[in-house]
Amino acid sequence: MSHLPIWFINNVDPQLCDELMKEYLALPVKSASMGINSENTDLTNRDTTIRFADKSNKFGKDLYAFGQYANAECKWDYHITDHEAVQVAEYKVGQHYNWHVDNFPLA
């Protein structure tokens, strides 16, 4: 199994990038939150603008395709058949997300 990074720098058509950004910017804006059910909206830890692209959105579909490409190229061979909505964060001047571990207790 390869652990080499897959970079798409200069390998994605600029027109596709423009189309994806147009799709992305058309998505509804949400204030970011934390927690299992997004119950924590304390802006001292996270103040971020986010958008979610589901599987029907071109942005989500194309990012999924890039992930599938990386999976094949690196010979990771994970059997990936689905994905959740792609979350993209935007940090404007003064916004932040403090250091954290994505770890939530199951019980």
Side-chain angles (χ1 to χ4, degrees):
M1 178 185 299
S2 171
H3 294 284
L4 298 174
I6 292 293
W7 298 98
F8 291 100
I9 298 172
N10 298 323
N11 291 318
V12 178
D13 178 37
Q15 185 175 352
L16 174 60
C17 286
D18 290 344
E19 289 173 19
L20 291 177
M21 285 307 299
K22 184 177 178 180
E23 286 276 334
Y24 164 71
L25 291 171
L27 294 169
V29 175
K30 297 183 178 192
S31 293
S33 56
M34 299 177 295
I36 294 173
N37 296 313
S38 301
E39 69 277 1
N40 187 344
T41 56
D42 180 1
L43 297 181
T44 59
N45 288 313
R46 184 178 191 183
D47 182 7
T48 313
T49 303
I50 57 172
R51 292 176 170 93
F52 289 94
D54 65 24
K55 292 178 268 193
S56 66
N57 183 280
K58 180 172 176 44
F59 189 83
K61 287 178 185 177
D62 285 352
L63 288 180
Y64 177 69
F66 292 153
Q68 292 287 51
Y69 173 80
N71 186 40
E73 285 295 305
C74 288
K75 299 183 181 8
W76 295 328
D77 298 324
Y78 291 110
H79 182 70
I80 302 170
T81 59
D82 201 5
H83 66 91
E84 62 185 24
V86 176
Q87 175 186 233
V88 180
E90 179 181 351
Y91 295 89
K92 296 178 182 173
V93 174
Q95 289 186 311
H96 65 280
Y97 195 177
N98 290 342
W99 187 94
H100 68 285
V101 175
D102 286 343
N103 183 10
F104 301 103
L106 297 176

